[in-house]
Each structure stands twice: as C-alpha cells, then as structure tokens.
Amino acid sequence: MSSASEQGTVREARAKERAAPEGPAPAVNGSRRAAARVAPTRPVWPGAPTPLGARFKAGPDGVAGTNFALWAGGAEAVELCLFDTEGAGVVETRCPLTELTHEIWHGFVPGVRPGQRYGYRVHGRWDPWTGARWNPAKLLLDPYARAVDGDFTLPAEVYGHVRDWPQQHVADTVRDDRDSAPYVPKGVVVHDDAPDDEWADDRRPKTPWADSVIYELHVRGFTKLHPGIPEELRGTYAGLAHPAALEHLVRLGVTAVELMPVHQFAHEDHLLRRGLRNYWGYNSIGYFAPHAAYAASGTAGQQVGEFKRMVRALHEAGIEVILDVVYNHTAEAGELGPTLSLKGIDNRGYYRLQPGDARRYADYTGCGNTLQVVQPHVLRLITDSLRYWVTEMGVDGFRFDLAAALARSFHDVDMLSPFLAVIAQDPVLRRVKLIAEPWDVGSGGYQVGAFPPLWTEWNDRYRGAVRDFWRGALPDVRDLGYRLSGSSDLYAWGGRRPYASVNFVTAHDGFTLRDLVTYERKHNEANGEGNRDGSDDNRSWNCGAEGETDDEGVTALRRRQLRNLMTTLLLSTGVPMFVAGDEMGRTQRGSNNAYCQDNEISWVDWGLRDEPGWRELFALTSRLMELRHRHPVLRRRAFFSGRAHSADGLRDLAWFTPRGTEMTEADWYAPAATLGMYLSGRDIPGRDARGAPVADDSFLAILHAAEQPLDFVLPGPPWARSYEVVVDTALEEQEAPPGTVHRAGATVTVPGRSVLLLRVGHA
C-alpha cells in the first residue's frame, strides 16, 4: 500500500484539479486536434454475449448490423463509441451497452456495417491502490478488434493518469480527465468473408517438423529494399506475397517463414521522444489485428484481406507461415504507462498485480506488465486469438515470445499450468507448430528442455555451444556433441523428438551472422541509450579487427567462418532456423539490439546477393539446404541410439578423433578443437509413406576450429571403404560438390577453421 504522505499528495492534487479553470487541450506535435462532436445515441438492441468482439451479421427480422460484446469484469458501465467522418470533422456516437451477461457487456446496433470505426469507454472506480484504473475519458481499443485504423503516438492525453505530474512517484494515482479519442486509433468492424474450407489441411503445406527449415524475417525489413518488388508494395504484406520475394524463398529452400510480430503494436513513449519507433514489434496491443502499417491496400479493414492473400501466396509456394506472438505483456507497460485497452477495461482482471501492492505490476517480462493468464477470460482472449489466426487467417504455427511467462501459475513456472493444459487439449491448436522461447526474466524463468511434448523450443544452448566452438572458447567437445546430434540431454524424455530443438546461431535479437565474425563489442549508439542496451555476452570473434576492414586476410577468414557456422547449423540434427539476410552476409553495423532501427541498419540489403564474396555464401546455403532435404539421415525423427544395429558393429552415430579411432570417455574430457561425427544411413528409425524402411547414404563430418591445418585419418571398415568430399568450407566457390574421393584409412589434411563433409562409400 502507498504511504499516508503519498495519499495526501494525491488528495491535494485532486483538489487543485477541481479548482483549476478548464482550459484548451495541450498541443500535440505542434497542433491541437479537435475533439469529435458527440452525436445523439443510436438504438441498441440486446444482442448476444458471444462471440466477443464486433461481428457484422443479420439481426432480428434479418436487419443487418453489428453485435458488440466486451468482457469488462468489475466495470460499472460501458459505452460503445462509433466514429464517423462528417465533412472535415469527426462525429462520435456514444451508445450505452446495458445488457450484462456473466460480466460481458453486449448489444446489437442495427445499420453498423464493415468499415465502421469504434472504441469503448468503460466506467468504474479510480482507485489505483487497489488496482482499479477505470477512466471513461479514455477511449479504449477493443481487445477483439480485427483491424485497427490509425497509429499510437502516445501524447499525454492517452494516459489514464497525469503523465507529466511534477511528482512522478505518485503521478500514476492522479487521474487525467482529458478525452483521448482524438489521439488514439480506432477498431474497425470487419466482414467475415473467409470460406469455411479456405484453410483446410489439404491446402496447407503441412511440412513435418523433422523436414522443416525456419527463416525468421521481418515483413517490412525483408521487402523494403527489394528491387524486384514495386515500390508501393515494399514493406508490406503484399510485398512479401510478390513473386520476387517468393522466388528468393523458394530458391533458398526454406520450408517456413517465422514472421516477427504482426499483431497490431504500439511504439514506446521513450522511443517517440527520441524520434525513433519500435521496429521489431514486441509491444502488442491488438491480438486479432494485422499491424496496419504493413498494409499497402488500406487500414479500414483491407489489411485483413491483404494478410490472407499473403498467406495464400506463401502456401502456394510450399512455405508455411509461423507468427512470432507476444501474449506475455502488452504495450500498456507498468503503472506509468498509457491507457490504451486492457488497463482501462479491467486492470485487475487482465494484469498480474504485485501481491500486497495492487498499484504496481508483477513484471516477469521486463516490459512493465505481465498478462494474468490464469484468469479464465484472459486465457480465453489468448486462445481465441490463436484459433482466429489459424482458422480464419490461415497461419500454420506460432513462436511464443517469453513463453515461460505464459506457463506461470500464480508465481512459479508450471508445466501443468492452465495455458499449457488448454493448448494441449485444443483440437485446433494442438495440431499446429508450437515453438517456445523457453525463458522469461523472472525467478526460475529459464526453462530450456522443460516444455512438454507438442512443443519445440528455441535452443540457446545450441547457439552458445556452436558460437563458442568456432571462436575457440570451448574447453572440450562434449557440449558440441550433444548439440550436433539433437540435444538428447535436453529433449529425450516424455516422447519428445530431436525436432523439439530449434537450432539457431543467430536470431533477430543479437548480432547477424556476419556481425558475429566482425565485431566483439556491441555498437548500439544509434539507439540513443549510450550503448548500454543490448547484451554484452555476444560470444563473437572479430577475426582480428573490430568492424569492417580492407585487410584481405581478415575478410577471407570471416567469410570462411560464416561458411563454417551455416554448414554446422544445417548439418545438425533438429530444426534449423536462421535470420533473413544471413545467407548473403547482411550486417547491422555491429548493432546487437536493432529493435528501434527502422532503416538500412535493419532492412535486408538485396545488393549483397550478387556481390562477389557474398553470393558464394548464398550458393552454399542453398546447396546445403538441398542436401538436407534430400537426405533423411540429416532430418532424423528419432534420437540416435549409439548402438550397433548389425553384426559388423556399425552404429547409427559414432564420434572419431583425428587418429581415426572412436572417441573414448577420456577423449570427451580432453581439450580439443576437432570433432568427427559419423552419421549412418542404415536402419534409420521409421518408415516412409508406403511403409518401407528408410535408408540413406552415410556421412562423416569433420569440424575443425583450430587455426592450423590438421591431419585426420579416415575411419576404415566397417565404417567405410571410401569417402567422397561433398562440402569443404575452406573453398570459396561451392557451386558443385568438390567430388574428390579418398580411400578409407587415408590421411586427409583438414585446413584450419573449416568443415569437411564426406559421403561414405561401402563398395
């Protein structure tokens, strides 16, 4: 609870507010926005409490209109506000919703059609000390709005409290009674026009997990500079659906795009004050609405159809669509954040508040608030949103940002939590791809390897081991062995499979692949935070010079390291994921936290694809992808056993030292920078679609991270009689397999810092 002195300060503030003469609204961006003229109310029929949101339909006697339904537990009254343009002005019509069913306020308004802009005003107590923050002066976005028209600019008027109150430690307790409607986006009524069978299973790629390769991209950043996309479509859903964008994805060979957040999001106040914007989008405010700024066709509902057409185009190209979703927190931040939607609808119902101090928020996300997923209506909001994106928008899966926060019960992370239990039994959601970012910032939040079956996870243990190996920082190769072979130490329980591990070396958060071998220190000065933001634990190596250089020896080594990292990723058991542009050397100029850089720092530079030195990396990546698709031994659906499956003693997985001998326990613990991994194509678990056994070639991969060349003895029978070189990362050109054949038992020289992949011959 607050102190008596704080409460006294607030009482004085309220007295001054009541005594102060009413003046004009403060200027916003140098000009005042006129308030909407309030029109007489329209007739509101009782309507229905379900479904939630705004649904255009035929009402009683076939009259066309829209049913509105809003869950607002604890509210005293709810007004539906309709906004229409009249001449040069805006007319606001306030319609009280008088029907209340199980805390859902609802009503049917005849004549309201798709394209109608709307919001809510919710009445109730203002008592921040108990978590009550109702303020009818603030127009609120419908949590179920399917389209949003406008942008969040966050002037002082959109805060439920007096944002600029001189005494900031009590500012959140002083109510701001200025109307926010002129300054906030509005929800838009959308026509439900998707055929029931539009997203049927037979129209989706349905790529098995083991066969998947994920490509993380930003809708705007991927398309913004693409010369083959018409300028008016760049940066949009339509741009991503353009044949020029699809051609790159198909040529590369990825099976799924993981779109960085496309839910409607808002920009943070501290960024707007510095002239920056949220680029990544991890600041959601509308869980049903495609982000309006990525639409080329319009924002009065057209963004919904444009998104669907994008998904359809990707599906026709054989590419699945996975959304990066942020259900752990919203853009309303903590007690000093704006009032945009949930905070003004039912702050205590939607958010976790601190036990014993309901004025403050429990923050497991580092973003000011955490959604209270244990509350049934909040859980319903999330699952309704997920089902909507699958059944009506056509997406194929989700990557859950800070998923550990969603798995918390009342405090601790609980793998039997309501959220995980509901997902597991939902007939729609349990069939799509589910990826957890298996951590949050709260106590006990690191949960890599702990999520239940059905879930895959971003495996940062893989990222750390591979980065450390190639920069020469691993003391031995024990951890690398686990990561290359599917991380059985993390996932071989409860029926989980190797594809539970989403393997990655880079992601949006951190250095790009090129920057990983170019910088040892972050360079985030452009963010305006004194380079204090972003991680200091980059596990990078600049190959001898910080930043870009003209030293040909350094640049050649960097390109080789890029080939090593990409080859390691695509030969590892599990699901590989990499970031758009890594396949052609995209750089962020040393920024490892480009979340607010909506410019060339973050956008994909398409000129690299044809630039000498980088086009070879693209060619290698594409060929490795084809190799992976062609060989099931690289896409195993079950963990290796390490046991012999035939009389000759040949095992499905074996590890070799440079002496050509199998590794012993002592070898695993000895300092080493080289590892030989033998993958047997015999007796691969499982059967093909016709029930026949799966058989494949066998391979030997030699990973050598030391600077000096190494003599490696190729294992003899029964492992092989000969070896054909398939990939040699010491070579710049990788257009075709090198094709050199070595006899078993021969000694090959492995160049320093390189990967040699050899196909086994048994004849």
Side-chain angles (χ1 to χ4, degrees), residues 226-341:
H226 198 302
I229 298 175
E231 190 168 353
E232 67 273 14
L233 301 183
R234 295 176 190 173
T236 69
Y237 306 119
L240 184 54
H242 190 273
L246 298 175
E247 180 272 338
H248 180 82
L249 299 173
V250 172
R251 182 177 163 195
L252 186 57
V254 298
T255 69
V257 291
E258 182 176 298
L259 305 184
M260 291 176 66
V262 294
H263 287 167
Q264 184 70 41
F265 63 86
H267 307 288
E268 293 90 332
D269 181 66
H270 70 92
L271 292 177
L272 294 172
R273 290 174 186 244
R274 296 203 302 271
L276 299 170
R277 296 166 70 83
N278 187 311
Y279 170 70
W280 284 352
Y282 292 92
N283 208 36
S284 300
I285 194 63
Y287 290 132
F288 290 77
H291 189 61
Y294 299 160
S297 53
T299 61
Q302 298 96 329
Q303 60 265 55
V304 177
E306 184 175 330
F307 186 94
K308 290 180 179 179
R309 290 189 292 274
M310 176 198 73
V311 173
R312 192 178 301 115
L314 286 161
H315 281 180
E316 289 172 356
I319 297 168
E320 293 185 303
V321 179
I322 298 171
L323 301 189
D324 194 339
V325 290
V326 189
Y327 294 111
N328 56 79
H329 75 280
T330 74
E332 293 185 299
E335 59 268 15
L336 295 177
T339 298
L340 308 174
S341 182

Side-chain angles (χ1 to χ4, degrees), residues 407-491:
R408 290 182 181 271
S409 290
F410 290 98
H411 175 68
D412 295 330
V413 178
D414 179 5
M415 293 305 159
L416 297 176
S417 66
F419 171 74
L420 294 178
V422 166
I423 295 292
Q425 60 80 42
D426 188 281
V428 172
L429 302 180
R430 69 189 181 199
R431 296 166 56 199
V432 302
K433 288 183 165 66
L434 302 170
I435 307 171
E437 183 183 38
W439 50 77
D440 64 21
V441 302
S443 175
Y446 187 76
Q447 295 290 324
V448 173
F451 275 72
L454 292 184
W455 288 82
T456 65
E457 299 175 15
W458 270 25
N459 186 355
D460 72 327
R461 293 274 300 275
Y462 180 94
R463 174 180 60 184
V466 171
R467 288 187 179 193
D468 281 347
F469 176 75
W470 285 112
R471 70 188 181 106
L474 277 185
D476 51 51
V477 291
R478 283 178 294 159
D479 200 26
L480 182 67
Y482 274 120
R483 304 310 143 228
L484 295 176
S485 58
S487 296
S488 60
D489 58 330
L490 299 175
Y491 301 112

Side-chain angles (χ1 to χ4, degrees), residues 295-634:
S297 53
T299 61
Q302 298 96 329
Q303 60 265 55
V304 177
E306 184 175 330
F307 186 94
K308 290 180 179 179
R309 290 189 292 274
M310 176 198 73
V311 173
R312 192 178 301 115
L314 286 161
H315 281 180
E316 289 172 356
I319 297 168
E320 293 185 303
V321 179
I322 298 171
L323 301 189
D324 194 339
V325 290
V326 189
Y327 294 111
N328 56 79
H329 75 280
T330 74
E332 293 185 299
E335 59 268 15
L336 295 177
T339 298
L340 308 174
S341 182
L342 308 182
K343 185 181 288 186
I345 295 172
D346 183 5
N347 184 58
R348 295 179 297 189
Y350 279 107
Y351 293 115
R352 290 178 180 264
L353 305 180
Q354 290 190 12
D357 186 4
R359 178 182 157 194
R360 319 283 183 188
Y361 293 78
D363 183 10
Y364 296 109
T365 67
C367 299
N369 65 54
T370 307
L371 280 183
Q372 186 163 217
V373 182
V374 295
Q375 216 285 349
H377 277 281
V378 179
L379 184 58
R380 177 182 177 183
L381 169 68
I382 295 172
T383 53
D384 282 354
S385 168
L386 292 169
R387 281 189 293 268
Y388 171 75
W389 287 96
V390 173
T391 60
E392 298 194 39
M393 301 295 270
V395 307
D396 305 286
F398 305 93
R399 178 264 186 189
F400 292 82
D401 180 67
L402 300 182
L406 298 172
R408 290 182 181 271
S409 290
F410 290 98
H411 175 68
D412 295 330
V413 178
D414 179 5
M415 293 305 159
L416 297 176
S417 66
F419 171 74
L420 294 178
V422 166
I423 295 292
Q425 60 80 42
D426 188 281
V428 172
L429 302 180
R430 69 189 181 199
R431 296 166 56 199
V432 302
K433 288 183 165 66
L434 302 170
I435 307 171
E437 183 183 38
W439 50 77
D440 64 21
V441 302
S443 175
Y446 187 76
Q447 295 290 324
V448 173
F451 275 72
L454 292 184
W455 288 82
T456 65
E457 299 175 15
W458 270 25
N459 186 355
D460 72 327
R461 293 274 300 275
Y462 180 94
R463 174 180 60 184
V466 171
R467 288 187 179 193
D468 281 347
F469 176 75
W470 285 112
R471 70 188 181 106
L474 277 185
D476 51 51
V477 291
R478 283 178 294 159
D479 200 26
L480 182 67
Y482 274 120
R483 304 310 143 228
L484 295 176
S485 58
S487 296
S488 60
D489 58 330
L490 299 175
Y491 301 112
W493 62 272
R496 302 189 80 181
R497 299 297 183 93
Y499 47 77
S501 177
V502 175
N503 300 329
F504 66 105
V505 179
T506 58
H508 66 273
D509 188 359
F511 283 148
T512 65
L513 201 65
R514 176 174 170 179
D515 288 354
L516 192 66
V517 300
T518 308
Y519 299 90
E520 291 188 6
R521 301 184 302 277
K522 64 187 182 184
H523 296 269
N524 299 338
E525 291 82 5
N527 293 354
E529 300 176 37
N531 206 33
R532 294 183 300 272
D533 61 303
S535 175
D536 292 314
D537 181 20
N538 295 298
R539 304 191 185 194
S540 59
W541 178 48
N542 63 20
C543 298
E546 184 71 3
E548 299 296 333
T549 178
D550 294 329
D551 187 312
E552 292 184 6
V554 171
T555 56
L557 175 57
R558 287 174 176 172
R559 289 197 297 270
R560 181 182 294 193
Q561 287 288 78
L562 290 178
R563 295 194 293 272
N564 291 335
L565 290 162
M566 188 63 80
T567 301
T568 303
L569 175 66
L570 292 174
L571 294 183
S572 297
T573 300
V575 178
M577 182 197 80
F578 58 99
V579 182
D582 274 353
E583 72 278 13
M584 50 189 177
R586 183 177 76 89
T587 176
Q588 291 180 171
R589 306 170 194 170
S591 173
N592 72 352
N593 191 35
Y595 76 105
C596 57
Q597 297 301 318
D598 189 4
N599 50 48
E600 288 84 354
I601 290 176
S602 297
W603 302 339
V604 172
D605 178 2
W606 289 95
L608 293 168
R609 190 168 67 168
D610 300 316
E611 186 177 308
W614 301 119
R615 65 188 174 202
E616 291 83 3
L617 178 61
F618 176 85
L620 172 64
T621 304
S622 182
R623 197 162 69 79
L624 286 166
M625 208 88 71
E626 182 184 0
L627 189 74
R628 185 179 181 91
H629 292 327
R630 205 166 58 238
H631 291 286
V633 72
L634 302 176

